[in-house]
Amino acid sequence: MRHNKNFNHLGRQAGHRKAMLSNMAASLILHKRIETTLAKAKAVRQFIEPLVTKSKEDTTHSRRVVFSYLKQKEAVTELFRTIAPKIAERPGGYTRILKTGFRLGDAAEMCIIEFVDFNEAYTNGVMPAAATEAKPKTRRSRKKAETSEEGAAVKTAKPVAQKATKAAAAPQVKKTNVGKKM
């Protein structure tokens, strides 16, 4: 009987599933963030969390154990050199899954899985650049800004200069009817 032995098989046989999870975990370690389906992301999280915990202790044995799962030397060195020191004091929960919507082809639920300590927007409490550059919406009239003498002189000078450069840059092409069906 297989009571209480359930995990997502992801529609694959054991060898294919292990290879896929190993490759996805190595990509996550090297790139710090990957985009995948929600089911695969949950499976990768289950696969990678014990490896990250194992990497906190930098011994030959733990490196060999992690290498037996990942099978990529670059991913193992990245995990032990950059990721492990940064998450040393964290007791668990090293990854974050952010849902991004549905895939167009088959409507599979897509998400981004990333390491928690490697996203600067969340860790530093800094707003993303797009949010900080957004202009506040106002209902004030802009006539005052246009009536100032300096503003009017600058605004009239710019379009003339832009038109002159566009005309010089674009050569005149003579239109013909060659190749068109009549």
Side-chain angles (χ1 to χ4, degrees):
M1 286 187 242
R2 51 177 306 276
H3 292 303
N4 206 16
K5 291 189 178 199
N6 52 350
F7 63 95
N8 196 344
H9 295 283
L10 299 172
R12 290 162 173 83
Q13 293 181 354
H16 186 185
R17 184 173 52 251
K18 287 176 187 174
M20 183 192 65
L21 290 175
S22 171
N23 289 332
M24 289 180 74
S27 295
L28 179 63
I29 289 168
L30 293 175
H31 301 293
K32 311 298 185 279
R33 153 191 298 205
I34 56 173
E35 183 178 3
T36 183
T37 61
L38 186 63
K40 287 180 187 174
K42 288 179 178 179
V44 168
R45 177 174 57 186
Q46 219 172 7
F47 182 84
I48 204 166
E49 296 271 338
L51 298 181
V52 176
T53 304
K54 192 71 125 164
S55 72
K56 287 181 178 181
E57 182 184 359
D58 192 4
T59 61
T60 306
H61 177 66
S62 62
R63 280 182 179 261
R64 286 177 178 166
V65 169
V66 170
F67 182 76
S68 72
Y69 283 94
L70 292 180
K71 298 174 179 56
Q72 288 188 21
K73 197 180 292 187
E74 299 83 16
V76 174
T77 56
E78 179 79 11
L79 179 64
F80 279 88
R81 284 191 185 158
T82 62
I83 295 174
K86 204 162 186 178
I87 52 96
E89 67 277 350
R90 185 178 288 275
Y94 312 111
T95 57
R96 172 188 299 128
I97 294 178
L98 302 168
K99 295 180 182 179
T100 58
F102 297 94
R103 189 161 52 192
L104 285 177
D106 59 354
E109 194 168 5
M110 299 298 288
C111 68
I112 293 173
I113 182 169
E114 64 184 5
F115 281 109
V116 173
D117 293 327
F118 286 89
N119 188 339
E120 272 66 18
Y122 286 114
T123 55
N124 295 339
V126 179
M127 295 297 290
T132 57
E133 293 176 7
K135 295 180 181 177
K137 295 181 180 178
T138 180
R139 294 180 153 242
R140 294 183 192 147
S141 174
R142 296 188 182 195
K143 291 181 182 178
K144 291 181 182 179
E146 292 176 4
T147 57
S148 68
E149 295 174 15
E150 297 171 0
V154 171
K155 286 182 182 177
T156 56
K158 283 185 181 176
V160 173
Q162 288 176 353
K163 286 181 184 177
T165 57
K166 286 182 183 175
Q172 296 294 331
V173 179
K174 187 175 182 181
K175 294 183 181 179
T176 60
N177 288 335
V178 178
K180 293 185 178 179
K181 293 183 179 178
M182 299 256 181

